[in-house]
Amino acid sequence: MFSGYSCRYFGYLVSKKKYIVSIDDDCVPAKDPKGVLVDAVSQHVTNLENPATPLFFNTLYDPYCEGADFVRGYPFSLRSGVPCAASCGLWLNLADLDAPTQALKTEQRNTSYVDAVMTVPLKAMLPISGINIAFNRELVGPALVPALRIAGEGKVRWETLEDVWCGMCLKHISDHLGYGVKTGLPYVWRNERGDAVESLRKKWEGMKLMEKSVPFFEALKLPESAVSVEDCVVELAKAVKEQLGSDDPAFTQAADAMVKWVQLWNSVNSSG
């Protein structure tokens, strides 16, 4: 479970901290447009400490950020928001593109620093990247699960899928339990790594698995009896095995890994 990029999940498992920040080792602190180094940890914690607003979109971004607020027409009954489960940061220089896109646009680099944070709306899916992420372990720790490992998984991000699958599970569980997920600040500077063209030469099934995953999550509805994160992960695993297991063995393996992960999480954390 803990090989390659998934080694970080061991830290998630044993940590006793409320907030966890995880940034890939090919990243360094970015600079904002004024040339000031970005404190990614501080921004992630700010995102997590302030509520999220998934039920009603605020067009002035995160209303709890300095200089922003709720716009006219935003219901006062919803302005208290909901707990924020995860903060998904972004990247300057080498953005987290897939191998086909990076291979086609070899010189493309992200130079746009958008000074904004926003909550992803309820029931909207997103490809959460493990390159620059933080989450509230007390709220959704068990949902950060190392599950979908593909055959021929490589050593660069565009040859893996575990973080994207984990993020789709996390978002669906957060929606079900009434939590929110934010994206935007903070940025990190991501350095060059890997060869996208060379990655395309490998027999990589990740894109096909994603195309099968999206309709599954669109139609998925967790039972009302799933009232904890652990319940949700187990129910999600059951649905994955029943509905996707016959399509590809990677889904069956992912479902089994999700159940084992919950058992391991409960075993490690019950002593606390």
Side-chain angles (χ1 to χ4, degrees), residues 71-83:
V71 298
R72 180 171 57 88
Y74 200 101
F76 281 89
S77 59
L78 297 177
R79 295 191 181 194
S80 57
V82 302

Side-chain angles (χ1 to χ4, degrees), residues 66-127:
E66 184 178 354
D69 212 322
F70 292 98
V71 298
R72 180 171 57 88
Y74 200 101
F76 281 89
S77 59
L78 297 177
R79 295 191 181 194
S80 57
V82 302
C84 182
S87 168
C88 307
L90 299 174
W91 337 268
L92 290 174
N93 192 38
L94 192 64
D96 190 13
L97 307 178
D98 53 41
T101 304
Q102 191 66 64
L104 183 65
K105 302 177 180 179
T106 56
E107 301 302 318
Q108 180 167 303
R109 297 295 181 268
N110 182 35
T111 59
S112 299
Y113 187 102
V114 180
D115 189 7
V117 178
M118 62 183 68
T119 298
V120 183
L122 180 70
K123 297 185 178 180
M125 291 179 285
L126 77 160

